[in-house]
Amino acid sequence: MSSRKKLIAGNWKMNKTSADAVSLVQEIVSAIGKQTDVDVVVCPPFTSLESVGKALDGANVKLGAQNVHPEPSGAYTGEISVGMLRAFFASYVIIGHSERRTYFAETDAFINQKVLASLKGQLKPILCVGETLGERESGATLRVVQTQLESGLEGVSKDLMTSVVIAYEPVWAIGTGKVATVEQAQEVHAFIRALLAKNFGEATAQKVRILYGGSMKPANAPELLSQKDIDGGLIGGASLESRSFLDLVKAAAAVK
Ligand code: PGA
């Protein structure tokens, strides 16, 4: 068994009012209790961070955001800084999700600035990488993942690298019900770990958690989560309902 503790993170995307978010998180917290086998993170929209953060007080579930701006403050209408997230006791932030790369034209260079600013402010980045269907079909998967990973992590020190979580999310599997096969997922996860070893050393690479994301559900999670280099999941659709999210936490806890 790997020494890395499994991590299940819910990416709620643009879903739930603050009141709905609090009821969902209360169900999760009461079912999870004090379990410590798996690290659990929920990432609600900005508008629910404060209320969800309060509902998580004393619970064994951590708070994450879905985006952050690299600057500490200033004239950036509509944006939120690391300090603002920390003030709500957020400890994680999703960076470089494919929806932000696609719909908001986020570049690897901008994503890298967000990663560096988050680490500086003690916020743990969940850096998302992954290929589109066209890139997979043209055999470009590993090249695309390598570019996104190495550009996103430029300037990160070996020490701080252990605070980074990587999420491999094949774009064609997100919200589509099309999950990557365990072989496809494990191949990319192993490739990412080898790149981390090359750039940060083997010991650091062995400590970094690499999550799979893209239509992960209770039915397919046990097989994915038992792969050597798959250390958890970044869950979209199945994180919006307590039963499926809790089943994913159980699936992660059951992996030996
Ligand atoms: P999905 O989303 O589980 O709905 O495919 C995953 C993600 O986008 O993080």
Side-chain angles (χ1 to χ4, degrees), residues 11 13 97 169 173-175 214-215 234-237:
N11 174 11
K13 309 192 179 184
H97 190 280
E169 300 205 309
I174 295 178
S215 299
L234 182 55
I235 321 294

Side-chain angles (χ1 to χ4, degrees), residues 78-220:
E79 293 295 312
I80 311 272
S81 72
V82 172
M84 292 170 184
L85 296 178
R86 292 293 293 147
F88 284 160
F89 304 105
S91 33
Y92 288 86
V93 59
I94 298 170
I95 296 180
H97 190 280
S98 63
E99 286 149 17
R100 296 217 55 90
R101 293 178 189 264
T102 307
Y103 306 138
F104 303 95
E106 290 196 6
T107 62
D108 283 326
F110 190 44
I111 288 165
N112 176 240
Q113 288 176 34
K114 295 179 184 214
V115 168
L116 296 174
S118 300
L119 288 169
K120 196 168 163 209
Q122 273 121 54
L123 202 53
K124 296 185 169 85
I126 302 177
L127 172 64
C128 302
V129 299
E131 81 288 1
T132 61
L133 186 58
E135 287 163 344
R136 174 159 285 270
E137 286 175 349
S138 66
T141 298
L142 300 183
R143 184 172 52 73
V144 167
V145 166
Q146 175 163 9
T147 303
Q148 291 178 347
L149 189 84
E150 293 188 333
S151 313
L153 296 175
E154 210 172 306
V156 173
S157 69
K158 217 174 176 169
D159 278 357
L160 286 177
M161 188 58 215
T162 51
S163 297
V164 179
V165 174
I166 306 295
Y168 168 57
E169 300 205 309
V171 179
W172 48 272
I174 295 178
T176 58
K178 271 191 217 154
V179 67
T181 65
V182 286
E183 293 79 15
Q184 286 172 326
Q186 168 57 28
E187 182 200 12
V188 180
H189 280 239
F191 174 72
I192 292 173
R193 200 172 308 285
L195 280 177
L196 295 176
K198 177 168 85 79
N199 296 328
F200 298 94
E202 183 62 30
T204 302
Q206 287 304 326
K207 288 185 195 141
V208 175
R209 288 181 292 191
I210 309 173
L211 314 183
Y212 170 79
S215 299
M216 193 188 262
K217 305 266 177 315
N220 57 35

